[in-house]
Amino acid sequence: PRLAISGTDEHGLKIQQAAAASGTSPPEHCAHVSGLFHDLFSRAAVSFTDFIRTTEPRHCRAVQHFWTALQGRGMLYKAFYEGWYCTPDECFLSQAQVTERPDAQGHPCKVSLESGHQVHWTKEENYMFKLSEFQEPLRKWLQGNRHVISPEPFYQLVLRWLEEDLPDLSVSRERSRLQWGIPVPGDSTQTIYVWVDALVNYLTVAGYPDTHHAWWPAAHHVVGKDILKFHAIYWPALLMAVGLDPPEQIYVHSHWTVRGQKMSKSLGNVVDPVACFTRYTVDGFRYFLLRQGVPERDCDYYEEKVIKLLNSELADALGGLLNRCTAHNINPSGTYPPFSELCFRKDSALTPGEASGRAVAEDYQLVASVAHLPSQVTHYFEHFQIYKALESITACVRQTNGFFQRHAPWKLCRENPAEKQWLDTILHVTLECLRLYGILLQPVIPATADKLLSRLAVLPEERALSDVAFLPRYHGKLCPFEGRQLGPDTGPLFPRLEMPRRRQLETKGP
């Protein structure tokens, strides 16, 4: 069994200030924003076992227990701390991480080098976590687990961070300044630092402090590159400090830019996912993000790019192939036609001398490619390389279209028994390829995959990865789909999308 976790981190100065600016209380503000995320995931067909809100009583109990464990092991001390504090990023920054830039009015102000957000000099008495004691343990953990952080460039980045000084970490804030957070147990003047609070959510959902041992440390985190230090240095060190193992895997992803620019409210170029669901369909937008999203580098979004990709790969290549092999004029019986071993001989040595053998070398390459596809896609999925999985599927879809085009079944005569046998075999092979693509695409485009598999009359209980069993007749085994009536035609598999009007005008000739 697996737990799939999502949720919202709801404490901190940034939230406190945002609630004040919107004229609501922090609890009301958090309930509204958390609801938006919950609704967005539901609309986007993102499923989860648990949606954790860090304002929940179960989480507050877990955080206070975790803090007490740190204190009991002598990992905390109180000291005066001063430095540049970035409220939007909720972290202190060193002098080297800060630069000076003009603000909107042209006045010089200090900002974070990494995020560009404004920073302020802050001095206060806080609890400090003995992070410096974990520099060597963290280095050993990483060097002994080469693939614990992936992709590789982010693993190397964390190792470089560990070559620099690792100062102790301020893990509380004065409650007079920050009321919106979990109080430090036994000290009403201090609030637990939001990042200690937020990171403990992974333990909360695993049942900490009572039943987490059944799950921990089998945790796999998926995080943005901007919060890598919190997850790859602070979090493992905090876990080691209370006697727990670091997570098994940290998958890191980069960001989306818009026409080469970072998304920003001030630039007005933030992409609204709900509008994209309407424009491209939910499946279309999911497919684009997962097909074009390369974790190790920022990727660029613009409308024409999305439309071109979806039209090419989903509407034309995949949808067109389904239409062609299920069309009434080519498959009048509307069934999954029989496969002929005489037409498509197994390991036929590829000699076209025998009149009964119709398959050519490229056809055998197609069968080999598609047969290898499930293990290839599984490997890529497990290694967080979804774009490579989809690249592999797309390559096979292109090969299948080539197979169909090469043998032109529409030119074959059904009245001729030998030609009918070959025509049925072409359709059978094509439908088998489509069945496999539908099964493999379910995690990425669930509604489209369901439509494809339903058209092929593949029952819900026949759609697991273990049910693939590609082209069994080629291996001399029975095919449960052979002779089965195809499902109803419910229209195009994926709708062709129109280019934006401004683009059409630009591309017209004089």
Side-chain angles (χ1 to χ4, degrees):
R2 294 186 179 187
L3 292 176
I5 308 303
S6 187
T8 43
D9 300 329
E10 301 184 11
H11 289 132
L13 190 58
K14 179 170 62 174
I15 305 293
Q16 184 174 292
Q17 291 177 351
S22 65
T24 61
S25 68
E28 288 171 323
H29 177 75
C30 289
H32 172 67
V33 174
S34 184
L36 291 176
F37 276 101
H38 198 286
D39 182 54
L40 177 66
F41 293 153
S42 298
R43 288 197 195 194
V46 174
S47 57
F48 40 80
T49 315
D50 198 335
F51 187 95
I52 174 85
R53 294 182 59 191
T54 59
T55 47
E56 292 175 38
R58 60 170 174 160
H59 179 67
C60 297
R61 282 195 303 272
V63 171
Q64 292 192 315
H65 190 281
F66 191 86
W67 180 277
T68 304
L70 285 171
Q71 208 159 32
R73 287 172 170 257
M75 291 295 162
L76 304 176
Y77 64 94
K78 218 170 183 183
F80 278 95
Y81 188 88
E82 60 181 318
W84 294 107
Y85 192 73
C86 181
T87 300
D89 301 333
E90 294 283 16
C91 64
F92 279 101
L93 300 173
S94 68
Q95 191 64 49
Q97 294 171 298
V98 171
T99 188
E100 196 171 273
R101 287 180 194 157
D103 63 14
Q105 286 74 42
H107 304 304
C109 72
K110 297 285 188 181
V111 299
S112 163
L113 260 176
E114 188 173 346
S115 69
H117 294 137
Q118 192 168 355
V119 299
H120 300 278
W121 188 261
T122 306
K123 181 179 180 179
E124 60 185 36
E125 189 177 26
N126 298 148
Y127 283 94
M128 305 294 292
F129 168 57
K130 295 179 181 178
L131 182 62
S132 55
E133 292 188 8
F134 293 90
Q135 187 151 6
E136 205 47 46
L138 285 169
R139 201 180 280 137
K140 283 182 180 173
W141 165 62
L142 283 176
Q143 288 169 346
N145 295 274
R146 180 86 187 177
H147 301 292
V148 72
I149 298 171
S150 65
E152 172 76 9
F154 295 114
Y155 171 81
Q156 295 298 338
L157 176 60
V158 177
L159 282 179
R160 286 198 298 277
W161 284 338
L162 289 171
E163 288 168 7
E164 303 164 5
D165 284 341
L166 195 63
D168 288 349
L169 180 67
S170 168
V171 288
S172 72
R173 302 289 180 263
E174 287 183 355
R175 200 149 183 85
S176 58
R177 188 164 68 92
L178 174 61
Q179 299 84 44
W180 184 240
I182 300 172
V184 166
D187 189 344
S188 59
T189 69
Q190 297 280 311
T191 300
I192 295 173
Y193 174 42
V194 64
W195 267 108
V196 175
D197 163 358
L199 289 163
V200 173
N201 93 84
Y202 302 120
L203 285 173
T204 302
V205 294
Y208 182 83
D210 305 313
T211 58
H212 61 286
H213 298 291
W215 297 98
W216 205 266
H220 290 227
H221 300 326
V222 180
V223 303
K225 66 177 184 179
D226 53 325
I227 53 173
L228 176 58
K229 185 171 282 186
F230 300 101
H231 283 83
I233 291 183
Y234 300 165
W235 180 225
L238 286 163
L239 286 165
M240 290 175 184
V242 298
L244 291 171
D245 291 327
E248 273 188 6
Q249 187 77 51
I250 301 170
Y251 298 109
V252 189
H253 62 79
S254 297
H255 295 161
W256 282 96
T257 57
V258 176
R259 296 190 182 275
Q261 286 186 302
K262 188 176 179 180
M263 282 194 222
S264 145
K265 287 180 184 175
S266 58
L267 290 174
N269 66 346
V270 176
V271 176
D272 177 3
V274 176
C276 291
F277 298 157
T278 304
R279 179 80 180 94
Y280 315 122
T281 76
V282 169
D283 273 12
F285 195 47
R286 285 170 61 108
Y287 185 83
F288 171 78
L289 294 177
L290 293 168
R291 174 78 169 89
Q292 294 287 302
V294 179
E296 50 262 60
R297 65 175 182 270
D298 288 351
C299 299
D300 202 37
Y301 167 94
Y302 53 92
E303 193 174 22
E304 296 87 350
K305 185 179 182 181
V306 184
I307 292 170
K308 187 177 177 183
L309 177 84
L310 298 182
N311 282 346
S312 168
E313 296 190 2
L314 293 187
D316 296 345
L318 189 65
L321 185 63
L322 177 66
N323 286 345
R324 293 169 85 188
C325 66
T326 56
H328 181 74
N329 63 328
I330 204 164
N331 188 354
S333 65
T335 59
Y336 216 96
F339 176 89
S340 166
E341 292 95 333
L342 291 175
C343 293
F344 208 123
R345 300 167 74 91
K346 188 173 188 302
D347 304 323
S348 91
L350 313 184
T351 51
E354 298 177 68
S356 58
R358 307 286 292 262
V360 297
E362 293 93 335
D363 305 337
Y364 291 93
Q365 288 164 10
L366 167 68
V367 169
S369 296
V370 179
H372 178 57
L373 194 58
S375 61
Q376 196 175 24
V377 166
T378 300
H379 171 82
Y380 286 140
F381 273 10
E382 287 176 351
H383 289 81
F384 198 51
Q385 294 176 311
I386 301 170
Y387 72 103
K388 286 189 177 180
L390 296 179
E391 211 170 66
S392 303
I393 294 170
T394 299
C396 283
V397 172
R398 279 197 298 268
Q399 268 186 284
T400 314
N401 271 298
F403 165 75
F404 201 83
Q405 192 69 27
R406 183 163 56 246
H407 295 298
W410 56 90
K411 292 182 180 178
L412 297 173
C413 176
R414 282 200 164 273
E415 310 311 315
N416 179 321
E419 290 205 347
K420 180 184 182 302
Q421 209 172 36
W422 177 225
L423 192 159
D424 284 345
T425 301
I426 294 167
L427 294 180
H428 184 98
V429 171
T430 307
L431 291 171
E432 274 292 277
C433 290
L434 282 166
R435 178 177 67 86
L436 186 137
Y437 305 148
I439 288 172
L440 295 179
L441 285 167
Q442 288 176 111
V444 178
I445 44 173
T448 307
D450 174 63
K451 190 172 184 178
L452 169 57
L453 294 169
S454 296
R455 181 71 173 109
L456 302 184
V458 181
L459 302 175
E461 60 270 22
E462 298 171 323
R463 299 179 181 186
L465 198 56
S466 55
D467 297 320
V468 169
F470 172 63
L471 205 57
R473 287 295 307 275
Y474 177 69
H475 301 285
K477 298 175 183 175
L478 291 175
C479 174
F481 304 99
E482 192 166 290
R484 191 181 291 186
Q485 197 70 32
L486 295 177
D489 181 0
T490 54
L493 181 66
F494 190 86
R496 274 194 68 79
L497 303 169
E498 293 288 324
M499 276 290 183
R501 188 165 176 75
R502 67 178 181 277
R503 186 68 179 161
Q504 292 174 339
L505 291 172
E506 284 169 14
T507 53
K508 280 183 181 176

